[in-house]
Protein backbone atom coordinates (compact mmCIF):
# COMPACT_ATOMS: atom_id res chain seq x y z
CA UNK A 1 0.00 0.00 0.00
CA UNK A 2 2.83 2.38 0.82
CA UNK A 3 4.42 2.06 -2.64
CA UNK A 4 1.06 2.64 -4.33
CA UNK A 5 0.26 5.76 -2.31
CA UNK A 6 3.78 7.08 -2.87
CA UNK A 7 3.24 6.66 -6.62
CA UNK A 8 -0.05 8.58 -6.42
CA UNK A 9 1.59 11.37 -4.44
CA UNK A 10 4.43 11.60 -6.98
CA UNK A 11 1.87 12.06 -9.79
CA UNK A 12 -0.15 14.53 -7.70
CA UNK A 13 2.86 16.68 -6.86
CA UNK A 14 3.95 16.58 -10.50
CA UNK A 15 0.55 17.87 -11.60
CA UNK A 16 0.30 20.37 -8.75
CA UNK A 17 3.54 22.14 -9.60
CA UNK A 18 5.40 24.59 -7.40
CA UNK A 19 4.31 26.13 -5.14
CA UNK A 20 1.70 23.50 -4.29
CA UNK A 21 -0.68 24.66 -1.60
CA UNK A 22 -2.81 22.20 0.37
CA UNK A 23 -5.93 23.47 -1.39
CA UNK A 24 -4.36 23.01 -4.83
CA UNK A 25 -3.06 19.54 -3.90
CA UNK A 26 -6.54 18.46 -2.77
CA UNK A 27 -7.96 19.73 -6.05
CA UNK A 28 -5.39 17.73 -8.04
CA UNK A 29 -5.96 14.59 -5.95
CA UNK A 30 -9.69 14.75 -6.68
CA UNK A 31 -8.96 14.31 -10.40
CA UNK A 32 -6.34 11.56 -10.21
CA UNK A 33 -6.90 8.00 -11.38
CA UNK A 34 -3.60 6.15 -11.16
CA UNK A 35 -3.58 2.56 -12.45
CA UNK A 36 -1.59 0.36 -10.09
CA UNK A 37 -1.93 -2.79 -12.19
CA UNK A 38 -0.68 -5.88 -10.40
CA UNK A 39 0.59 -3.85 -7.44
CA UNK A 40 -2.90 -3.02 -6.13
CA UNK A 41 -5.24 -4.96 -8.41
CA UNK A 42 -6.79 -1.84 -9.90
CA UNK A 43 -6.60 1.95 -10.08
CA UNK A 44 -6.45 4.35 -7.16
CA UNK A 45 -8.95 7.14 -7.70
CA UNK A 46 -10.11 9.89 -5.35
CA UNK A 47 -13.15 12.16 -5.53
CA UNK A 48 -14.34 15.23 -3.59
CA UNK A 49 -16.31 12.95 -1.24
CA UNK A 50 -13.87 10.02 -1.13
CA UNK A 51 -10.31 10.84 -0.09
CA UNK A 52 -9.17 7.23 0.00
CA UNK A 53 -10.45 5.72 -3.23
CA UNK A 54 -11.38 2.16 -4.07
CA UNK A 55 -9.50 -0.43 -2.07
CA UNK A 56 -8.38 -3.66 -3.69
CA UNK A 57 -7.18 -6.62 -1.68
CA UNK A 58 -5.90 -10.03 -2.59
CA UNK A 59 -5.80 -13.02 -0.27
CA UNK A 60 -2.48 -14.87 -0.43
CA UNK A 61 -1.00 -17.94 1.15
CA UNK A 62 2.64 -18.73 1.81
CA UNK A 63 4.06 -21.76 0.00
CA UNK A 64 6.66 -23.18 2.40
CA UNK A 65 8.26 -25.44 -0.22
CA UNK A 66 8.72 -22.69 -2.83
CA UNK A 67 9.26 -19.99 -0.17
CA UNK A 68 6.96 -17.34 -1.62
CA UNK A 69 3.36 -16.11 -1.50
CA UNK A 70 0.76 -17.43 -3.95
CA UNK A 71 -2.67 -15.92 -4.67
CA UNK A 72 -5.36 -17.81 -2.75
CA UNK A 73 -8.26 -15.97 -4.41
CA UNK A 74 -9.04 -13.44 -7.12
CA UNK A 75 -8.71 -9.70 -6.40
CA UNK A 76 -11.54 -8.23 -4.32
Amino acid sequence: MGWALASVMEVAHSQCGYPCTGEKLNSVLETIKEDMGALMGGPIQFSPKDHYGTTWWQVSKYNVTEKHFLPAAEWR
Side-chain angles (χ1 to χ4, degrees), residues 8 26-32 43-56:
V8 168
N26 282 338
S27 176
V28 168
L29 282 170
E30 291 170 355
T31 64
I32 283 183
I44 291 179
Q45 182 175 8
F46 302 111
S47 73
K49 293 184 179 182
D50 180 359
H51 292 159
Y52 193 77
T54 304
T55 302
W56 304 83

Side-chain angles (χ1 to χ4, degrees), residues 5-32 46-48 50-51:
L5 291 176
S7 175
V8 168
M9 290 310 297
E10 188 266 333
V11 170
H13 280 97
S14 242
Q15 291 180 15
C16 192
Y18 180 84
C20 181
T21 63
E23 184 177 290
K24 188 175 177 186
L25 181 59
N26 282 338
S27 176
V28 168
L29 282 170
E30 291 170 355
T31 64
I32 283 183
F46 302 111
S47 73
D50 180 359
H51 292 159

